[in-house]
Amino acid sequence: MLYEGANGIQAIDLVGRKLPRDAGRAMLAFFGEVSGFLKDNADDDGVKPHIEAMKTALGHLQDASMWFMRNALGKPDNAGAGSTDYMHLFGLVALGYMSLKIAKAAAAGARAARAADDQAGGATLEAKLMTTRFFMERMLPETAVRMARVTAGADSVMAMPAELF
């Protein structure tokens, strides 16, 4: 995160410019890449325990993205009110995807380390698998909250008249 007042600007840029660019081509490509990885690696030891959690999180991102496509152009306040949560939601899904790629490699390495009786190397790789599990169980579920905030719209954010501030 950038703590120089830029988080909100980056979030609005993501929702207002990057998300709709080229009819959402980059976003759709990301969805396809993650979905393809999940499908292709559904039986991998490092990925399999986390497939459902990642599918759920990706679904939240897809739903929030489509909600913006339907509700932000006609009412720009919706884009502003939900953009920071959307940026965090996107980040959680991207980190989850990278964690699964690391877990896939770590599971393969841990198998090789066990075969070679390399306890130290195996322990390091097992730690990476534990880290992925932690992220999937403790961090990734936050996507549900972020999606709920995005799809709540701007009404409660914009309800108070300026003179009451």
Side-chain angles (χ1 to χ4, degrees):
M1 295 180 84
L2 302 173
Y3 288 99
E4 300 168 354
N7 286 330
I9 305 249
Q10 295 300 322
I12 290 169
D13 182 61
L14 173 63
V15 171
R17 293 187 339 151
K18 291 184 174 70
L19 182 64
R21 178 183 252 161
D22 297 325
R25 186 179 325 178
M27 171 191 62
L28 294 172
F30 178 74
F31 294 164
E33 182 177 334
V34 175
S35 294
F37 178 86
L38 294 174
K39 182 180 176 189
D40 294 345
N41 294 283
D43 292 326
D44 183 273
D45 293 345
V47 177
K48 187 176 183 175
H50 312 296
I51 291 286
E52 290 309 312
M54 194 63 204
K55 282 182 180 177
T56 298
L58 181 61
H60 292 155
L61 180 60
Q62 291 169 320
D63 291 347
S65 300
M66 293 306 124
W67 188 88
F68 271 137
M69 294 296 199
R70 290 189 308 271
N71 295 288
L73 288 176
K75 190 173 179 185
D77 285 345
N78 283 333
S83 62
T84 297
D85 284 298
Y86 182 79
M87 180 177 67
H88 286 279
L89 171 56
F90 210 124
L92 286 164
V93 171
L95 287 170
Y97 174 46
M98 291 297 111
S99 291
L100 290 182
K101 291 182 87 158
I102 292 167
K104 178 182 176 179
R111 281 191 302 274
R114 282 191 296 274
D117 199 27
D118 177 6
Q119 293 178 4
T124 299
L125 294 166
E126 290 294 334
K128 292 191 180 302
L129 294 170
M130 288 179 218
T131 302
T132 297
R133 179 180 172 204
F134 172 84
F135 182 85
M136 293 296 168
E137 292 178 0
R138 305 292 300 182
M139 307 297 287
L140 197 61
E142 186 180 326
T143 61
V145 172
R146 299 294 182 166
M147 184 193 68
R149 289 177 180 169
V150 167
T151 59
D155 292 344
S156 65
V157 174
M158 304 304 291
M160 188 177 295
E163 60 271 6
L164 292 180
F165 279 93

